[in-house]
Amino acid sequence: MIATISRIHHVTQNGGLYKRPFNEAFEETPMLVAVLTYVGYGVLTLFGYLRDFLRHLRIEKCHRATEREEQKDFVSLYQDFENFYTRNLYMRIRDNWNRPICSVPGARVDIMERQSHDYNWSFKYTGNIIKGVINMGSYNYLGFARNTGACQEAAARVLEQYGVGVCSTRQEIGNLDKHEELEKLVASFLGVEAAMTYGMGFATNSMNIPALVGKGCLILSDELNHASLVLGARLSGATIRIFKHNNMQSLEKLLKDAIVYGQPRTRRPWKKILILVEGIYSMEGSIVRLPEVIALKKKYKAYLYLDEAHSIGALGPTGRGVVDYFGLDPEDVDVMMGTFTKSFGASGGYIGGKKELIDYLRTHSHSAVYATSLSPPVVEQIVTSMKCIMGQDGTTLGKECIQQLAENTRYFRRRLKEMGFIIYGNEDSPVVPLMLYMPAKIGAFGREMLKRNIGVVVVGFPATPIIESRARFCLSAAHTREILDTALKEIDEVGDLLQLKYSRHRLVPLLDRPFDETTYEETED
């Protein structure tokens, strides 16, 4: 019934823009759960202020960073209020993060056991290794994060020939033949004229957006965009306006207003209008409504910047990302950005597009001019895995990995929904958020899963809205059906133990979410 409703939506609302059903819904938070979540944070906050008072009186030992006595009259370096959440809420469940692993981040990992004797302010290693923990948190979508096989062998050969570091920038003496080979391969893979690669995925966004727009330009950014996109937009000096997540009515209203009213005060037309979106949103598990975004971009003559960090390799029949997933023309996306840190099991990022765009970035991007070149073994890891995905290695392994990931995603999502959990996102997204809501259950879920030899990522405020804490699973082609069934069995057991099965099957399609234009944010230079 839900799938039928979604299909009707996609036909009637989108004017036939979609060539496939687009099933994406978010279940409403139960009222009682929302109230109890707010109460939980309220109680924690009250006890936090009480503990800060006891620390001030030196009744309770204070572990936090403090000013030196001789600097007590200086302007405070550590803002007390800003660190309140860290001291009194995060520290209670800090043991769920930064767990050190000592193996390849494949389908299973080995974790170094640690203990804390001062309420998570510090940790000591016990010397024990927790072996064979099922890895449900790494972005190893296609399973190329491994220490055996063609990728490892190719990287080892290049390591012997080129060494590890380049010790220079691309514009000086750090431009290797391997870098040229990689960029030609990336352009071919994406179906664009040219591409440029960078050593860090985060910097690919944060350092290139300021090279594309500046003062007198307008950026329209999805409210749930990644921090790298947000930082790049802020560094650019352009005016930033936020549209509701994946809400095309919200985006179109901003585009209309931008065209009609122009720049504030002067009313001159904007020099450029740039739309920033992601392929897969890594906290929501949602997929961008790219056909509609492209239609609006063409209608209002704007530019489109697409971040495919999580979608490249993980979506589409050939693994070419969200453009491939919807069967669209890559030329309709002005700037195609992505990273090698996930599906390719490596590091770094890329930007693809018109040759004029890439030539411009080679001389104007801070990442291109000042950053050290990609390490040669890393380049070879990317080249080998990308050729495998494209089928240029003479095998069908890449195609099989893409199909396996898609099957694992649909199976895992379906089973969790059948158990009664509230699951966010698109049915084809390998990022699977399971809603926890209450602050006490964030730490409890992570600890209980590790007791059962399953490693998970739990996320809470401020990374998510205060009442939408969650566990985030990332599926991989390396996960076998046996591994997934084992994980599902334990998740089901922990769900019963912590009473996490909130679902009432009241799904709210994204287009039906209430739209309030007063929630727009606007920053002007």
Side-chain angles (χ1 to χ4, degrees):
M1 181 62 183
I2 293 167
T4 304
I5 292 172
S6 296
R7 289 192 184 97
I8 292 172
H9 240 319
H10 112 88
V11 172
T12 58
Q13 294 284 349
N14 307 318
L17 291 174
Y18 291 80
K19 300 175 183 178
R20 57 182 299 156
F22 187 79
N23 300 319
E24 185 168 288
F26 298 81
E27 186 168 348
E28 180 184 354
T29 304
M31 180 60 71
L32 178 60
V33 174
V35 170
L36 291 176
T37 302
Y38 280 120
V39 169
Y41 276 106
V43 170
L44 286 171
T45 302
L46 288 174
F47 273 89
Y49 280 115
L50 175 60
R51 296 185 71 182
D52 276 356
F53 178 70
L54 295 176
R55 289 166 186 151
H56 179 71
L57 297 177
R58 302 186 184 279
I59 296 174
E60 180 178 334
K61 186 177 180 180
C62 178
H63 297 274
R64 73 179 187 275
T66 56
E67 309 292 349
R68 290 187 297 175
E69 187 65 25
E70 59 266 30
Q71 292 180 317
K72 63 181 180 180
D73 296 326
F74 287 27
V75 175
S76 178
L77 181 63
Y78 305 105
Q79 293 297 322
D80 189 62
F81 181 77
E82 292 175 4
N83 289 314
F84 177 84
Y85 183 89
T86 300
R87 290 195 307 274
N88 298 299
L89 284 81
Y90 170 71
M91 279 298 169
R92 292 173 176 266
I93 53 176
R94 184 177 170 223
D95 56 302
N96 286 278
W97 292 281
N98 306 314
R99 288 171 176 154
I101 70 169
C102 51
S103 68
V104 174
R108 292 181 182 270
V109 294
D110 297 338
I111 298 179
M112 299 175 67
E113 188 180 59
R114 59 184 183 174
Q115 293 178 345
S116 176
H117 301 289
D118 54 4
Y119 303 101
N120 293 338
W121 285 94
S122 65
F123 294 96
K124 291 184 178 180
Y125 297 111
T126 65
N128 297 327
I129 304 296
I130 307 174
K131 295 279 190 179
V133 177
I134 294 177
N135 180 7
M136 298 300 298
S138 294
Y139 307 130
N140 183 26
Y141 295 131
L142 295 181
F144 285 116
R146 61 181 72 159
N147 57 2
T148 58
C151 291
Q152 181 271 335
E153 293 168 3
R157 288 194 298 270
V158 169
L159 177 63
E160 291 181 1
Q161 181 181 353
Y162 291 86
V164 176
V166 180
C167 303
S168 183
T169 68
R170 293 287 297 277
Q171 289 193 354
E172 294 170 337
I173 200 170
N175 189 32
L176 304 180
D177 57 341
K178 284 293 175 185
H179 296 133
E180 300 281 351
E181 177 189 356
L182 173 60
E183 289 179 347
K184 290 177 181 177
L185 184 65
V186 171
S188 172
F189 181 64
L190 298 176
V192 296
E193 292 180 7
M196 185 171 183
T197 57
Y198 303 87
M200 181 181 180
F202 190 98
T204 305
N205 278 332
S206 60
M207 293 290 101
N208 282 296
I209 293 174
L212 297 173
V213 291
K215 189 175 176 63
C217 298
L218 174 65
I219 292 176
L220 302 181
S221 179
D222 189 291
E223 66 177 345
L224 296 183
N225 274 341
H226 189 263
S228 59
L229 290 169
V230 174
L231 178 60
R234 290 175 176 171
L235 290 175
S236 71
T239 298
I240 306 168
R241 291 178 183 167
I242 311 299
F243 63 91
K244 300 297 290 181
H245 175 55
N246 240 353
N247 190 310
M248 296 303 105
Q249 294 95 330
S250 175
L251 174 59
E252 185 167 20
K253 184 180 186 302
L254 288 181
L255 284 166
K256 283 180 179 178
D257 290 347
I259 299 299
V260 171
Y261 299 112
Q263 298 184 44
R265 294 186 294 276
T266 65
R267 299 306 177 193
R268 291 175 182 171
W270 296 100
K271 295 178 182 178
K272 298 176 191 173
I273 299 176
L274 181 65
I275 302 170
L276 298 183
V277 293
E278 294 185 46
I280 292 178
Y281 291 85
S282 59
M283 283 297 171
E284 301 298 307
S286 53
I287 297 175
V288 64
R289 294 179 176 273
L290 192 59
E292 295 173 77
V293 174
I294 288 176
L296 289 174
K297 166 236 173 187
K298 290 180 176 179
K299 181 178 178 180
Y300 294 98
K301 305 296 187 292
Y303 293 100
L304 176 59
Y305 186 111
L306 174 63
D307 178 348
E308 292 222 68
H310 286 269
S311 54
I312 193 69
L315 283 182
T318 61
R320 286 171 168 81
V322 71
V323 176
D324 183 33
Y325 175 77
F326 287 113
L328 302 172
D329 187 349
E331 290 190 2
D332 289 335
V333 180
D334 301 288
V335 186
M336 297 184 71
M337 178 270 172
T339 64
F340 304 121
T341 56
K342 300 167 180 68
S343 293
F344 304 97
S347 64
Y350 67 82
I351 283 185
K354 298 285 187 182
K355 187 177 184 301
E356 294 82 0
L357 168 70
I358 303 305
D359 289 343
Y360 174 83
L361 288 176
R362 288 191 194 280
T363 56
H364 290 80
S365 166
H366 290 318
S367 286
V369 177
Y370 299 109
T372 303
S373 306
L374 271 166
S375 172
V378 173
V379 172
E380 190 62 21
Q381 164 76 21
I382 301 165
V383 169
T384 308
S385 58
M386 191 172 289
K387 285 183 176 179
C388 181
I389 295 170
M390 298 170 73
Q392 293 184 8
D393 62 340
T395 72
T396 60
L397 177 62
K399 184 177 181 181
E400 291 169 4
C401 287
I402 294 167
Q403 293 174 345
Q404 185 65 53
L405 175 63
E407 291 174 10
N408 287 351
T409 296
R410 295 191 187 97
Y411 175 74
F412 193 75
R413 281 182 166 273
R414 188 185 74 249
R415 287 289 308 277
L416 287 178
K417 289 179 180 178
E418 289 171 354
M419 291 175 187
F421 294 104
I422 293 181
I423 305 299
Y424 274 9
N426 193 287
E427 65 177 13
D428 292 323
S429 170
V431 178
V432 185
L434 183 153
M435 305 310 294
L436 303 176
Y437 297 112
M438 300 179 195
K441 295 185 180 182
I442 302 172
F445 186 81
R447 293 171 189 136
E448 289 296 329
M449 293 302 294
L450 187 59
K451 285 180 185 177
R452 293 161 172 78
N453 231 39
I454 298 173
V456 300
V457 173
V458 289
V459 191
F461 179 81
T464 67
I466 195 166
I467 65 165
E468 293 188 9
S469 300
R470 64 198 67 180
R472 184 185 63 180
F473 303 105
C474 291
L475 278 302
S476 171
H479 290 142
T480 63
R481 183 59 61 89
E482 180 185 4
I483 287 176
L484 291 181
D485 285 339
T486 301
L488 286 163
K489 175 179 176 294
E490 301 299 345
I491 293 168
D492 187 30
E493 182 179 316
V494 174
D496 289 331
L497 177 67
L498 302 180
Q499 297 182 347
L500 296 173
K501 298 179 179 179
Y502 304 115
S503 178
R504 300 177 183 176
H505 303 288
R506 295 182 298 169
L507 301 183
V508 182
L510 193 60
L511 282 172
D512 286 348
R513 274 182 158 181
F515 168 58
D516 178 6
E517 61 186 50
T518 62
T519 59
Y520 286 158
E521 297 176 24
E522 179 175 338
T523 61
E524 296 174 2
D525 192 0

